[in-house]
Amino acid sequence: MSEIRLYVSTTEQNANRVLDLLGFEFGEEDFAIATTEVDEKADIWEASIYLMMEDEEAVRDRFAGAIAEEFAELAIEREVIPDIDWIAKSLEGLTPVRAGRFLVHGSHDRDKVQVHDIAIEIDAGQAFGTGHHGTTAGCLEVIETVARSRKVRNALDLGTGSGVLAIAVRKLLPIPVLATDIDPIAVRVARDNARRNKVVDAIDFRTAPGFHSTAFREHGPFDLVIANILARPLIKMAPQLVTHLAPNGSVILSGILANQRWKVIAAYSGQGLSHVRTIWRNGWVTMHFTQGKG
């Protein structure tokens, strides 16, 4: 099933307002919304929502309803997104990405690794999370901060994708790491990436939808939980996630659009966690929460 983009073209100011309205309408659902500059001199911007083609009719009606009062004159346009392996595409022509001491690079850039880098080699593959995406880079930065400031005895990478975050934790700290994903292909790819980075024996990779797997009881509670997913599932899983957190533990959350951050903060503050820090990268945010003092 193809992915499509519904969008309106307007000024930067109006596009930001449309983004807010779409956030109010779709903020807790698994739709990506964004603004894009088209022509700086002419002040032309697009405000978009990305969805599967099967959802188009319902989403178009809601899109129109969300902007009807303030922007009834804007026409909703449509673009079919090409079926491209975006992970492979994302690495074409890109230099290694640095986040703190971490350097995420492809095999073709091994010569870029410096003596004090914590190098993570991830080539294009089927699982998401190469390190070039702002959410992954934000998580890497916070992982290093947590490791410097708090005692971490074990960690959970929830929704591991390519495994880059689990690999990062294990390369930084000599601790056991549990890495889970609902997608068995992602788990296989993540395990292969850990093998490439020589940490596969130190990470337990499991296919686990939600928190139903026995792996969480076997390995938890966790001093550090990392979840780079999407805002809506992060909000829904807040009560269960916190039950698997050790006293004074840290939680790193990402995959959150900037305008969704307050709902995520509310969900985790409601579970007794303290919001320590938010990192902003390319319209996405990464958040650090703790039990007890930050």
Side-chain angles (χ1 to χ4, degrees):
M1 184 66 69
S2 296
E3 186 179 17
I4 65 171
R5 176 173 74 102
L6 298 179
Y7 65 97
V8 294
S9 297
T10 184
T11 64
E12 179 181 7
Q13 181 177 352
N14 288 345
N16 287 329
R17 178 55 183 161
V18 171
L19 188 71
D20 288 339
L21 295 171
L22 293 178
F24 295 143
E25 177 67 26
F26 297 100
E28 295 186 5
E29 300 176 50
D30 297 336
F31 297 109
I33 56 176
T35 58
T36 306
E37 185 180 55
V38 177
D39 187 325
E40 180 181 5
K41 290 184 178 179
D43 191 23
I44 299 174
W45 285 65
E46 292 174 351
S48 309
I49 183 166
Y50 295 80
L51 59 142
M52 303 310 292
M53 194 173 289
E54 62 186 359
D55 299 321
E56 180 178 2
E57 183 177 355
V59 171
R60 178 182 285 272
D61 288 345
R62 292 173 62 191
F63 190 144
I67 67 172
E69 184 173 344
E70 297 184 41
F71 301 105
E73 75 284 0
L74 295 181
I76 299 175
E77 300 181 71
R78 176 182 190 267
E79 177 190 17
V80 177
I81 307 298
D83 188 11
I84 295 173
D85 182 348
W86 289 108
I87 297 306
K89 192 73 174 175
S90 71
L91 290 181
E92 292 178 4
L94 287 179
T95 56
V97 169
R98 184 175 298 281
R101 291 175 59 203
F102 293 112
L103 187 75
V104 183
H105 65 92
S107 56
H108 58 289
D109 276 323
R110 290 173 185 163
D111 61 333
K112 303 295 195 303
V113 179
Q114 300 177 16
V115 65
H116 296 299
D117 288 338
I118 301 175
I120 304 171
E121 185 173 304
I122 305 285
D123 277 335
Q126 292 172 287
F128 182 79
T130 63
H132 294 92
H133 196 278
T135 64
T136 307
C139 287
L140 290 170
E141 186 175 336
V142 182
I143 286 169
E144 186 176 0
T145 299
V146 171
R148 287 199 308 263
S149 61
R150 305 173 77 88
K151 177 69 174 178
V152 180
R153 291 171 290 261
N154 64 351
L156 166 64
D157 179 15
L158 191 68
T160 193
S162 68
V164 62
L165 300 179
I167 293 166
V169 170
R170 179 58 196 181
K171 284 202 162 193
L172 185 63
L173 298 167
I175 61 172
V177 180
L178 172 63
T180 67
D181 203 286
I182 63 173
D183 183 356
I185 294 175
V187 171
R188 175 177 57 79
V189 171
R191 187 179 289 112
D192 289 344
N193 285 332
R195 186 173 294 108
R196 177 196 294 258
N197 284 273
K198 298 181 173 56
V199 292
V200 68
D201 293 334
I203 303 172
D204 186 2
F205 291 97
R206 301 279 191 98
T207 302
F211 284 96
H212 303 301
S213 171
T214 58
F216 299 104
R217 293 191 298 274
E218 294 168 9
H219 290 270
F222 301 94
D223 290 317
L224 173 61
V225 177
I226 309 154
N228 182 8
I229 310 177
L230 287 170
R232 186 183 181 190
L234 286 175
I235 291 168
K236 290 177 65 176
M237 69 174 58
Q240 287 180 294
L241 188 152
V242 172
T243 64
H244 292 281
L245 188 64
N248 299 313
S250 289
V251 176
I252 300 171
L253 305 178
S254 200
I256 305 160
L257 290 167
N259 66 339
Q260 299 170 326
R261 66 193 185 280
W262 296 114
K263 293 180 180 179
V264 177
I265 290 174
Y268 283 82
S269 297
Q271 297 300 318
L273 300 191
S274 299
H275 174 227
V276 178
R277 182 187 181 197
T278 295
I279 291 178
W280 300 66
R281 284 179 180 262
N282 303 322
W284 299 83
V285 297
T286 300
M287 295 179 167
H288 177 202
F289 295 86
T290 64
Q291 280 190 337
K293 295 183 179 180

